[in-house]
Every structure is written in C-alpha cells, then in structure tokens.
Amino acid sequence: MSKAKKKRGWIIALTALLVLMVAGGFLVYEGKKTLSQGLGSLASDGEADGDGMSIIGKYASEMKQELKDALKALKSGDLETAEEKLGSVSSKVKIVRPLVKTAITFMGRDSDTKAKLENILALVELLDTTIQELLDPAIDFMKEHPISSMKTEQGVDMKILWAYLDFGKDMMPKVETVMDLADRADLSIIDGDGSFTGKLDLVRAVLNLYHQDETIFDSAKIIFGSEGDRLYLLAGQTSAEIRACGGFPGCLGTIRITDGILEFDDFERVNNLLSTYVSAEVGITDREAYLFYDMANYNRDAEYCPDFERVAPIFALAYEEKMGEHINGVLSLTPVVIQRMLAVLEQEIVLEDGTVLTGNNAGMVLQHDLYFKYFGNSYQADARDVTEELFAEAAEKALDMVLSHLSPSDLLRYMYMARGCFGERTLMIWSEDAPVQAMLRRLDWNGGLNTDPWDPKLGVYFNGYIAAKIGMFLTRETVIGPGTANEDGTVSYPVTVTLGNCMTPEEYEEALSRGASYITSYMGSTIVGAAYFFAPAGGRVEGFETSDGSYIDLTEYHDLALGFMPTVSIPLGGQITITYVATTAPGVTAVPGLSQTPTVMNNR
C-alpha cells in the first residue's frame, strides 16, 4: 500500500469531530440526567425515563463504532468499506434527528435546556451535511482519481492534480455550507483541546483564499501545466548571506512540466546555471544601481532589490542566457520552508554527512551550524562546495518527501504552511503568465512591494554588503505604534526598528578559528549593509532618527516613498534603533502590516 493511499483525505478531518460528537455531544451536554428527563416524557404512559435514553444511546454507540471503522478504512485506502460505514451512519442520523427534535418540543419551557438541545441538533445537521455534501462525493471522486497514481516512473502526473483542482473548485460552495453550520454550533463540548478547531482552520484557510481570489484554482492549473509545457527555476536562497529580497541563491534547480508530467532536475551551484553579468536588456536604472549595489553588475546579486517581481525575471533571463532554455516562472524558497515542511509531515531528513534536519532545527542547521562545522582551523578550499552540496541535498530530499506525501490531506496542509511562508517572504513565486501573476499579486504571494493603498504594508528590508555569513547574526524587531488621524484623511503611525548583532564573543572566536574569511569576512564581527524603510502605497515616511546618527536619504522607488539608510554598521553585540513616522494614503483606515526581509535569527 502506498504512503499516499494510507493518508486520510483532507475533508475527513471533519469526521474526526463527528466521532467525538456522537460519542459525547448527543448524550453528555449536561450529563445523562437532563436528557433522560426530557426523553422520558416521550413515553405516553409515563413509564421509566430510561427508554428514550436507551434508544439514542444504542444508536450513538453504533454510530460511534461505525465512524471509527470508516476512518480506519479511509486511512488504509479501503474506500468501499468507508462508504458502507458512512451510509449506515447517515441512516441512523435520520432516526436520531426526530428524537432530538421531539425532546426540544417537550423541554422547550426551559430556555437553557432548549438552547443546549438545539445545539445538539445543529451538530446532528453538521454531521449529516458533512457526510452527504462532502464525504460521499469525495469518496466517489477519490475512487475515480486515486491520488496514489500521481507518482509515476516518468514523474508526477499533473493531470490528476488538475482534476483535484477542478473538484476543489466545484466543492467550494458545499465547503462553505459546512463551515457555516460549524460556525453556528457550539463546538466546545466536543473540542475541549482545540484539535478540531485547528482542522477547521485548515479548511477555512482554503475557503478564505478562494474568497480573496476565485481564480486561484484555475491559476494553479495553469502553473501546473494545464495550458502547455512549463519550465520553472527553483532558487534555494539562504538569508545567512542576507539580501533584501530574502537571501542569496546558493543553489538552483529546475522544475519541468512536459505533457502534464512534472519532473525535478538536480540542484546546482548558482554560477553553473546563471550567466555572470547583467544584460543591458534588464535595463537597470541609475536609481537601482544607487539603492541596490551589485544588482547592477552580477545576475546572482539581483536579490539586493527587495522586489521579487523585479528580481525573478532577471534570474530567468540569466538562466536563458547561460542554458539556452526559456523560463516560465521562478520559485524562491529559504531553508525555513524545509523546516516548516518537515514539521507539517512530522518527518526528518538525514544528509549524507549524518546531519539530521527536523521540523525544529532545519533553518538554523542549514544557515548556521553547517558553516561552523565545515570551515576548519584554516580556510578549506572545498568547504564552500561541501556546504552548498549539502544545502542542495536537503532541498532535493525535501522535494522527494513532498512527492511521497501527496494525499488530499497533505496538499491542504502544504497550502496552509505555504500561506504562512508567503507572508514572511521565505517563499515567493513569479510567473510570466499575466493572469497568474495578477492572482499571485492579489494574494500577496509574489514577494513584491506594496502596491495596494487599501491593504497597506510597511517595507523593512536589509542588505548585507559583505559576501560572507555574518548576516546570520542579524536580529530585527519592528514595532508599529498607535495611529493618529490627520486632517487630510491620512493616518500616521510611529515606527521603531531595532537592528542588532547577536554574535557572541565566543562565537566570534570560534568563527576566527573556522574560516573567518567566509563566516565574518574582512569586517570581522561587524555586520555591514544597508536598510530600506518603505512607506505604504500612496503614503509617506518622514521624521527619521537613528541612535548612531546614521544618514537617511528620503527618496522613492517604484512610486513608493522610501527612507534609505546606505550605511549600517552593527558591531558585535550592538544595536541600532531607527524611529520614523509612516503615513497611509488618504482615506485608508486599515492598520499597516509588515513586509520584511526574512532573517535567520527571526526564523529560528
């Protein structure tokens, strides 16, 4: 039996709640006594009140066992048995429902008891609707499209995924109905530990994305090759050598979709896949050359610019110049994504050298520990190659793990995980397909700068100027204070950004003995770079003050007001505080969010 087949379908998470509901919700709201008294009144001759209770108790016990059997069958891939058991549960719901309704009628004089019984009825309706509208159709679909068949000898069959995306789109109205029923019911009696609420959050996240942009399913199909072959560049970036976009692209790979079959090529060092010098075709402006340093010279340094919509096409063109193949899109991810993925799957990766990556340590191991491990008492010529190869191995094994876990449940959890990574810029996507890119921009998955005044974000980005790993010790804290309304309809917010260098003297001494030229470079223990403080779209930034008296240039980029700090120098154990005022566009009352360069220390 394949791993994927053993995983339960994503919508089955709802059934986990219903097992608890039948076992407890029907019978123990206020203890058996309350229901027994009410159900006893159903007996026309006034006989013992246990009769009504025993009827519901009998069905509840049977339904509980059948639901357990259904879940067990679904986990093992036995869809026929699952379907049979759920059908039996549905038939018993039809018997239990009128009994609860009758109890409500006879106990309606007590408003508190009536309310509790009505909530039990709401849970019954939730159970019935979930089975009829979601579980039964999902089982039928999974029978016709077994997700285990996605992984083939040639690669991953995207046609199966296209079918699931179509099915998911069709099911959205029904999912919304179920979520509405769940929102109306008091779930506390069956969700004391909050586990079911967490599962509902996964479903609600997808529903919210659909509400944000109803093209998401169609756009995803395009991304996965439904409208033709695709070749994507996969940039494995590390913020240990920090860049404003999110990290240096230490290794690159490609994703090919040909005739609906997806394959991953091996990861290679960045210089093996990108041409060296920036082409005139890129059109680097004087403003960009001033603000973003080496992006004007070397393709590999394009991510000095914090706008991934600008960076990704430069990477794509550099690949085309070097390799002679057209790139349809670029995906950027940092080791934090690998860590979050391992946490979701509750798995670990063992690298060739014995290094173990888990859902708790992968980010720090890949962006910190390996450098200290492999740069010995004197500079080793192959240490850089070894660490970059280990990084590539980690990325390849993480992708292989994804391909081994492709159940609907896994796909839902990947989406939920990715949503958080998009928000913190540890995952970014660019597509040359204009409708797809528009969708990515609307969902804020594009890693771009703020362009929507009504969804304001402050941009706080940092560039390490030194080609070394000293950036792994950068810390950052950004605090937005309470807003003050202005007469012109704008709102102003005080902002405090604290940049620090958390390297300890002991770590510095160790770095000196382990290849200082790569970990700390010629600046020793000082972090040197530039900082960027972008206003929200249509707004402004002003009133800058720095704790060390550093110069701030008030300028702009892409029609966004910008405070540019060209020289940041943070000594060992030191901090610099920058305060300023950020103001939204007129009429915007939403409190600004934050878009920031991901750092190693802020993602431990």
Side-chain angles (χ1 to χ4, degrees):
M1 187 73 66
S2 70
K3 291 182 180 179
K5 196 170 184 180
K6 291 182 179 180
K7 304 295 282 186
R8 67 185 66 179
W10 68 267
I11 203 64
I12 306 309
L14 292 173
T15 307
L17 159 71
L18 302 171
V19 173
L20 298 174
M21 184 192 73
V22 174
F26 284 173
L27 304 177
V28 295
Y29 223 129
E30 276 284 299
K32 292 186 178 182
K33 180 179 178 181
T34 301
L35 270 178
S36 294
Q37 292 172 343
L39 294 170
S41 65
L42 297 176
S44 59
D45 58 359
E47 293 177 355
D49 62 8
D51 293 343
M53 192 66 186
S54 64
I55 294 173
I56 293 185
K58 175 178 180 296
Y59 283 120
S61 177
E62 293 175 358
M63 293 164 72
K64 173 184 176 181
Q65 186 58 50
E66 287 169 341
L67 282 167
K68 285 185 175 180
D69 292 343
L71 285 173
K72 184 177 180 180
L74 285 166
K75 287 182 67 176
S76 66
D78 185 356
L79 299 179
E80 288 75 13
T81 299
E83 186 175 38
E84 176 188 346
K85 296 297 181 181
L86 289 175
S88 180
V89 171
S90 294
S91 66
K92 290 180 174 63
V93 165
K94 295 177 182 178
I95 299 173
V96 171
R97 181 190 285 116
L99 291 177
V100 178
K101 287 183 177 180
T102 303
I104 293 173
T105 300
F106 279 89
M107 302 175 67
R109 289 168 293 183
D110 180 19
S111 59
D112 185 55
T113 302
K114 180 180 179 182
K116 292 173 181 177
L117 283 168
E118 286 177 339
N119 188 62
I120 292 176
L121 183 61
L123 293 172
V124 173
E125 299 298 341
L126 174 60
L127 169 60
D128 190 39
T129 303
T130 300
I131 293 175
Q132 301 299 325
E133 298 295 324
L134 296 182
L135 294 181
D136 285 348
I139 289 174
D140 290 340
F141 183 81
M142 291 167 68
K143 283 181 179 180
E144 296 178 13
H145 306 84
I147 201 163
S148 58
S149 64
M150 282 185 66
K151 192 172 182 180
T152 69
E153 292 183 0
Q154 293 75 32
V156 184
D157 188 351
M158 290 292 98
K159 293 184 287 295
I160 302 294
L161 181 59
W162 301 343
Y164 271 88
L165 289 169
D166 286 337
F167 178 74
K169 179 181 177 180
D170 293 340
M171 293 297 286
M172 282 297 103
K174 296 179 180 180
V175 171
E176 187 153 23
T177 297
V178 169
M179 296 303 294
D180 287 342
L181 289 174
D183 290 339
R184 291 179 207 159
D186 178 5
L187 305 177
S188 60
I189 60 168
I190 54 172
D191 193 31
D193 63 356
S195 60
F196 176 67
T197 300
K199 292 179 175 66
L200 281 181
D201 286 343
L202 293 177
V203 181
R204 189 175 284 110
V206 177
L207 192 60
N208 288 342
L209 288 175
Y210 180 69
H211 287 161
Q212 281 181 256
D213 194 318
E214 294 187 1
T215 71
I216 185 170
F217 289 98
D218 295 331
S219 295
K221 284 182 63 179
I222 295 174
I223 290 174
F224 290 113
S226 66
E227 294 190 358
D229 295 348
R230 293 290 186 272
L231 177 61
Y232 296 111
L233 190 63
L234 182 57
Q237 300 194 182
T238 168
S239 47
E241 194 167 351
I242 200 165
R243 299 290 189 270
C245 190
F248 178 76
C251 63
L252 299 172
T254 51
I255 304 172
R256 299 175 185 274
I257 303 175
T258 307
D259 295 329
I261 300 297
L262 180 147
E263 296 179 278
F264 291 96
D265 293 332
D266 290 339
F267 281 85
E268 297 191 35
R269 293 181 60 179
V270 59
N271 292 335
N272 292 342
L273 295 183
L274 299 186
S275 61
T276 302
Y277 300 107
V278 176
S279 167
E281 184 179 342
V282 172
I284 297 293
T285 67
D286 291 342
R287 180 65 54 86
E288 288 175 326
Y290 166 59
L291 293 175
F292 308 129
Y293 194 56
D294 260 358
M295 80 169 292
N297 302 313
Y298 304 104
N299 285 311
R300 68 184 184 186
D301 288 331
E303 16 63 79
Y304 271 110
C305 175
D307 183 5
F308 191 68
E309 285 196 320
R310 175 62 165 150
V311 172
I314 297 175
F315 282 165
L317 179 60
Y319 178 90
E320 293 171 8
E321 291 176 338
K322 181 88 170 184
M323 307 302 294
E325 295 181 295
H326 180 66
I327 290 293
N328 301 107
V330 181
L331 174 68
S332 164
L333 74 162
T334 78
V336 173
V337 176
I338 295 176
Q339 180 170 318
R340 303 279 158 75
M341 188 183 304
L342 294 176
V344 164
L345 296 176
E346 298 181 346
Q347 301 284 323
E348 65 180 30
I349 290 174
V350 181
L351 301 181
E352 186 177 354
D353 70 338
T355 298
V356 179
L357 306 178
T358 71
N360 295 317
N361 74 357
M364 281 294 287
V365 169
L366 291 170
Q367 299 184 110
H368 178 280
D369 299 357
L370 287 181
Y371 299 122
F372 278 94
K373 180 177 180 179
Y374 281 101
F375 287 84
N377 294 327
S378 60
Y379 179 77
Q380 297 180 9
D382 65 342
R384 184 176 304 187
D385 291 338
V386 170
T387 53
E388 289 183 355
E389 287 172 4
L390 288 171
F391 184 89
E393 181 189 359
E396 288 175 358
K397 287 187 173 181
L399 288 171
D400 184 65
M401 187 171 291
V402 169
L403 298 182
S404 298
H405 295 79
L406 286 175
S407 73
S409 175
D410 294 321
L411 294 176
L412 181 71
R413 289 186 291 170
Y414 292 150
M415 180 173 286
Y416 190 75
M417 177 213 76
R419 187 167 174 245
C421 292
F422 283 125
E424 64 185 12
R425 293 170 64 90
T426 54
L427 182 62
M428 298 175 287
I429 302 178
W430 169 78
S431 171
E432 70 170 1
D433 293 290
V436 172
Q437 187 62 22
M439 180 274 293
L440 295 172
R441 190 179 299 116
R442 285 191 292 268
L443 294 179
D444 202 21
W445 292 0
N446 61 321
L449 301 175
N450 185 216
T451 58
D452 183 359
W454 304 101
D455 183 22
K457 287 184 175 60
L458 305 184
V460 179
Y461 308 113
F462 187 86
N463 271 333
Y465 281 155
I466 309 303
K469 304 303 178 186
I470 188 69
M472 64 177 123
F473 298 101
L474 178 74
T475 62
R476 179 202 59 236
E477 181 182 14
T478 304
V479 177
I480 302 175
T484 300
N486 303 311
E487 292 184 358
D488 61 357
T490 62
V491 182
S492 296
Y493 298 86
V495 183
T496 301
V497 179
T498 304
L499 302 175
N501 179 347
C502 70
M503 178 183 270
T504 65
E506 293 75 19
E507 286 173 315
Y508 178 55
E509 291 301 321
E510 185 178 2
L512 288 177
S513 69
R514 291 180 174 272
S517 62
Y518 195 53
I519 295 177
T520 65
S521 193
Y522 63 86
M523 293 301 295
S525 59
T526 300
I527 296 176
V528 180
Y532 310 82
F533 308 100
F534 280 87
R540 62 184 185 272
V541 286
E542 56 196 346
F544 281 89
E545 294 184 6
T546 63
S547 60
D548 67 344
S550 294
Y551 169 71
I552 299 285
D553 181 10
L554 295 180
T555 181
E556 65 176 33
Y557 180 66
H558 282 188
D559 297 323
L560 290 173
L562 165 66
F564 172 44
M565 190 173 178
T567 303
V568 178
S569 182
I570 314 173
L572 179 73
Q575 287 186 338
I576 297 175
T577 300
I578 303 98
T579 60
Y580 60 100
V581 176
T583 301
T584 62
V588 176
T589 58
V591 177
L594 279 171
S595 176
Q596 303 187 95
T597 305
T599 67
V600 175
M601 293 300 162
N602 285 85
N603 281 288
R604 281 180 293 183

